[in-house]
Amino acid sequence: MKETPLSNCERRFLLRAIEEKKRLDGRQTYDYRNIRISFGTDYGCCMVELGKTRVLGQVSCELVSPKLNRATEGILFFNLELSQMAAPAFEPGRQSDLLVKLNRLLERCLRNSKCIDTESLCVVAGEKVWQIRVDLHLLNHDGNIIDAASIAAIVALCHFRRPDVSVQGDEITLYTPEERDPVPLSIHHMPICVSFAFFQQGTYLLVDPNEREERVMDGLLVIAMNKHREICTIQSSGGIMLLKDQVLRCSKIAGVKVAEITELILKALENDQKVRKEGGKFGFAESIANQRITAFKMEKAPIDTSDVEEKAEEIIAEAEPPSEVVSTPVLWTPGTAQIGEGVENSWGDLEDSEKEDDEGGGDEAIILDSIKMDTGVEVSDIGSQDAPIILSDSEEEEMIILEPDKNPKKIRTQTTSAKQEKAPSKKPVKRRKKKRAAN
Amino acid sequence: MEEEMHTDAKIRAEIGTGCSPRGPGCSLRHFACEQNLLSRPDGSASFLQGVAEKSRERLIRNTCEAVILGTLHPRTSITVVLQVVSDAGSLLACCLNAACMALVDAGVPMRALFCGVTCALDSDGTLVLDPTSKQEKEARAVLTFALDSVERKLLMSSTKGLYSDSELQQCLAAAQAASQHVFRFYRESLQRRYSKS
């Protein structure tokens, strides 16, 4: 779906507000939105909310053979996906530019900075190493995807535990989580991206732009830093020209912000660790706030199934026995068998309608019976040409018989009735049951 | 000219603590739902696995099609995007529940609500409702039903494994009993949402 264009008055309003140092949500120039980090039940699954922007991160691992030129290092794989629910403009085929840019930036930030110790992922040099895969999904787009994604990635990596492995000579033993506690990854430092949006050719600067502000910005500067004030990646896009001291000032701001965010991350990880150790409840289900009016929980509920058996027996007693299904297969040649007789073939009708007149009565085309999963096909006996033939439909076609007494010409028309679809949807279910009963 | 509506549903199919062993049959696990949690779409859900799960998509799609009043919105595409956050068993049922809640949240006119319930039959014939992944793996048959809210009729069924006629009817009856519970949950959570106090 195309993005709704930003109106001129909205654009002017935003720019004027920025000139007067005002932001739409009341933040100051250097303020970040609220960051909320929650964890799932599995290790390595986390959700980060930066204001309304939501990113889901999931880490998984696998034992593979290493790359040929790096036989002693593990493999890291990052993937950011812009889900279609994040914004109407994100369609599976259509977002390549932004997607490529974000993925590249994320890779440079996490891989080239060597924040994960890949040597420790090696199990047997040249044969088996761990491949760590980080999948990030953007669930809601309210600006500043890259910051949220980098936080989600590093949090998920810190939270993840890989299975323990021991090597004795030639034998590699992989322990399940029940046998031995899984082992965390060895992480040297935590690089976090901080975005700066520039307006009016670099005159005004905003930290953590939201979606509206991103639409009217001139350019974006992204600095990835860790808490030791080491710059891991720096990228300027949008073609704005920045002065040296502007860039230095931004890096100082980034240093402050990264320190705050890192503290938040460490606290969240610690809390989660504590809850797990004490045996309390953890997971996304717990992080749904109770007080929010849009959230609702229900505890485990017992269901009374004492009368289930009686009910079932009643139904079976009332139901008629399954009708005889033709189940003797006819073997044509080795490898080709036929069960039952198919629907009358109507494809050839439009061209061969003259031929049909010649052939006269019998028009049973023997086709291999294909069980249609989506649509029910009801075949009434074609023997008597007088009765109207009802072939109920798939979504596209409806057969209307115009001349029931002669060989009919069939016309296909579009059907728009939704009601007809409900009935056939029950048929395939029953058919499947009948076949099982016969077997 | 086309309009599109997007429906969101995030599925939380998790239990907090490790699952305590339950007696045969019959309790539904804890579930929670949150509505209107994303600001951009009207409603959506997406799958993590992609190509391998086309059949699941098709099942959900057919259930939705049977229930949505499509004729009120001609030339409109309604996209339902489902994102699996984590899978702790009964995934298809959870997807169905999430899709229904999201459609309600988006305000799409439907002729009935629907819910998904999963039953597992283990090797000695005991019926377990809402099984965990471990129970699903060890079960002889796993049956998922989509039931509608008006008359508890069957909208969709997807089964895997071997079972007899009578077992099927039993599972169906049990699912109908469980669906009452799920519909009560829908009703209460919506009441809470739209309550004035």
Side-chain angles (χ1 to χ4, degrees):
Chain A
M1 204 169 100
K2 258 192 108 181
E3 187 85 51
T4 47
L6 194 64
S7 59
N8 281 338
C9 44
E10 230 179 327
R11 182 185 297 269
R12 269 200 303 264
F13 181 79
L14 281 161
L15 288 171
R16 278 281 297 280
I18 291 168
E19 282 168 25
E20 297 175 16
K21 306 262 192 231
K22 293 202 177 102
R23 290 175 91 159
L24 251 67
D25 44 10
R27 286 188 277 156
Q28 299 296 319
T29 324
Y30 301 144
D31 279 353
Y32 251 82
R33 288 172 282 181
N34 275 333
I35 303 180
R36 235 187 114 224
I37 304 177
S38 51
F39 297 95
T41 37
D42 308 325
Y43 279 115
C45 181
C46 79
M47 174 111 67
V48 170
E49 292 170 48
L50 178 61
K52 291 197 194 146
T53 304
R54 272 198 206 212
V55 179
L56 171 72
Q58 176 76 50
V59 178
S60 55
C61 68
E62 210 190 353
L63 274 176
V64 293
S65 19
K67 292 196 185 136
L68 294 169
N69 52 346
R70 298 232 189 271
T72 53
E73 287 183 11
I75 304 176
L76 277 176
F77 182 68
F78 300 99
N79 184 30
L80 169 68
E81 270 174 31
L82 303 174
S83 162
Q84 207 179 345
M85 66 169 99
F90 292 155
E91 265 174 34
R94 264 214 238 162
Q95 349 118 346
S96 38
D97 272 355
L98 179 62
L99 193 61
V100 168
K101 187 170 138 220
L102 292 169
N103 268 306
R104 267 311 282 148
L105 190 49
L106 210 59
E107 277 209 33
R108 275 165 52 205
C109 167
L110 293 165
R111 197 200 294 274
N112 297 358
S113 65
K114 306 226 188 301
C115 58
I116 311 266
D117 182 10
T118 44
E119 301 267 350
S120 70
L121 297 174
C122 176
V123 176
V124 175
E127 283 176 30
K128 285 283 179 208
V129 297
W130 283 112
Q131 176 183 16
I132 305 286
R133 192 197 157 100
V134 182
D135 284 297
L136 300 161
H137 291 263
L138 180 69
L139 299 174
N140 199 38
H141 176 28
D142 199 30
N144 208 1
I145 303 175
I146 188 62
D147 283 18
S150 75
I151 297 176
I154 202 64
V155 167
L157 284 165
C158 289
H159 191 242
F160 181 62
R161 305 273 180 271
R162 64 166 173 82
D164 199 4
V165 140
S166 72
V167 183
Q168 275 129 3
D170 272 340
E171 223 183 78
I172 309 176
T173 334
L174 184 63
Y175 297 104
T176 62
E178 285 90 35
E179 292 171 13
R180 270 208 207 172
D181 275 340
V183 164
L185 300 173
S186 100
I187 298 181
H188 295 309
H189 60 96
M190 303 208 287
I192 295 177
C193 296
V194 177
S195 305
F196 299 88
F198 287 94
F199 304 85
Q200 314 284 37
Q201 279 80 47
T203 329
Y204 301 101
L205 153 72
L206 286 182
V207 174
D208 186 21
N210 71 12
E211 203 252 336
R212 295 283 137 176
E213 292 163 354
E214 271 188 358
R215 287 236 208 150
V216 300
M217 71 183 175
D218 283 339
L220 185 70
L221 174 70
V222 178
I223 303 184
M225 247 190 173
N226 62 25
K227 72 171 183 202
H228 310 292
R229 305 185 56 96
E230 297 167 332
I231 294 183
C232 308
T233 304
I234 189 164
Q235 169 167 311
S236 161
S237 56
I240 37 154
M241 287 171 290
L242 295 171
L243 297 171
K244 188 173 59 170
D245 54 305
Q246 274 178 316
V247 179
L248 280 174
R249 197 154 38 101
C250 287
S251 68
K252 287 205 185 81
I253 299 170
V256 172
K257 292 295 161 192
V258 166
E260 288 170 14
I261 297 176
T262 311
E263 218 184 281
L264 188 78
I265 294 177
L266 291 172
K267 214 170 15 157
L269 284 165
E270 215 185 279
N271 274 344
D272 181 73
Q273 185 73 343
K274 207 166 38 152
V275 171
R276 277 175 205 255
K277 218 189 281 190
E278 291 169 1
K281 288 195 182 172
F282 50 87
F284 287 127
E286 292 310 311
S287 62
I288 298 180
N290 246 333
Q291 301 78 25
R292 245 192 249 167
I293 209 171
T294 53
F296 190 60
K297 289 194 209 179
M298 194 159 71
E299 291 310 318
K300 201 149 71 163
I303 306 275
D304 179 21
T305 53
S306 49
D307 58 344
V308 159
E309 278 202 35
E310 299 147 17
K311 241 189 178 176
E313 271 158 37
E314 270 176 39
I315 296 180
I316 296 183
E318 286 172 26
E320 44 206 45
S323 53
E324 286 302 309
V325 181
V326 175
S327 58
T328 49
V330 177
L331 186 68
W332 292 102
T333 67
T336 309
Q338 176 187 334
I339 302 178
E341 284 173 358
V343 182
E344 172 173 340
N345 185 0
S346 61
W347 273 94
D349 281 13
L350 299 172
E351 302 121 31
D352 299 347
S353 45
E354 290 145 26
K355 274 197 207 153
E356 268 192 73
D357 290 328
D358 297 334
E359 283 175 339
D363 36 354
E364 292 184 43
I366 299 177
I367 306 166
L368 285 167
D369 190 30
S370 58
I371 304 176
K372 295 218 174 82
M373 304 292 266
D374 292 342
T375 64
V377 177
E378 195 185 332
V379 180
S380 57
D381 195 8
I382 307 183
S384 62
Q385 288 280 310
D386 297 333
I389 300 171
I390 308 167
L391 284 143
S392 73
D393 26 286
S394 61
E395 292 95 76
E396 299 102 41
E397 48 182 82
E398 179 185 52
M399 308 284 201
I400 301 178
I401 316 296
L402 291 183
E403 294 166 289
D405 47 332
K406 280 206 206 159
N407 288 314
K409 278 196 190 139
K410 293 181 178 89
I411 302 175
R412 282 187 201 165
T413 54
Q414 294 284 333
T415 187
T416 51
S417 157
K419 292 217 173 111
Q420 278 180 316
E421 287 166 19
K422 193 175 181 191
S425 73
K426 289 195 191 160
K427 299 275 184 210
V429 172
K430 295 229 170 83
R431 278 191 115 207
R432 270 188 247 150
K433 286 188 213 168
K434 276 186 202 166
K435 292 231 148 98
R436 273 212 194 87
N439 292 341
Chain B
M1 272 246 290
E2 265 193 12
E3 289 171 26
E4 278 194 29
M5 295 170 68
H6 282 246
T7 318
D8 246 338
K10 278 238 301 282
I11 313 165
R12 303 180 178 219
E14 288 184 75
I15 317 181
T17 54
C19 327
S20 46
R22 293 200 299 273
C26 301
S27 53
L28 288 175
R29 288 179 285 177
H30 153 115
F31 41 92
C33 90
E34 199 172 341
Q35 299 151 44
N36 204 20
L37 67 174
L38 298 183
S39 64
R40 291 310 295 277
D42 321 309
S44 55
S46 72
F47 261 91
L48 251 179
Q49 265 105 346
V51 181
E53 301 306 336
K54 280 295 177 199
S55 67
R56 228 182 253 164
E57 284 181 19
R58 185 182 41 80
L59 291 169
I60 298 177
R61 179 180 150 209
N62 286 351
T63 317
C64 294
E65 273 184 2
V67 169
I68 293 178
L69 292 165
T71 47
L72 285 177
H73 298 283
R75 293 210 294 276
T76 303
S77 142
I78 301 180
T79 309
V80 179
V81 183
L82 287 150
Q83 172 78 49
V84 176
V85 169
S86 68
D87 179 5
S90 310
L91 183 62
L92 184 54
C94 190
C95 295
L96 285 164
N97 292 337
C100 182
M101 285 261 85
L103 288 165
V104 168
D105 189 46
V108 174
M110 301 194 275
R111 59 170 65 87
L113 298 178
F114 58 92
C115 81
V117 183
T118 309
C119 311
L121 280 169
D122 63 6
S123 37
D124 44 326
T126 358
L127 184 83
V128 178
L129 278 179
D130 199 19
T132 62
S133 330
K134 208 158 74 95
Q135 286 169 329
E136 275 183 2
K137 259 191 232 135
E138 298 166 359
R140 168 165 56 94
V142 178
L143 303 94
T144 304
F145 301 107
L147 298 162
D148 97 314
S149 64
V150 180
E151 286 175 38
R152 312 271 176 282
K153 286 203 177 149
L154 184 66
L155 288 172
M156 184 277 297
S157 87
S158 160
T159 65
K160 195 169 66 163
L162 204 59
Y163 52 88
S164 71
D165 253 2
S166 60
E167 284 175 340
L168 172 67
Q169 291 300 341
Q170 275 187 31
C171 287
L172 200 42
Q176 284 177 331
S179 67
Q180 294 215 2
H181 203 68
V182 181
F183 287 128
R184 190 160 59 87
F185 175 72
Y186 283 177
R187 202 167 299 130
E188 285 180 12
S189 80
L190 286 169
Q191 261 176 353
R192 182 183 154 121
R193 166 113 187 267
Y194 292 111
S195 67
K196 290 193 186 155
S197 55

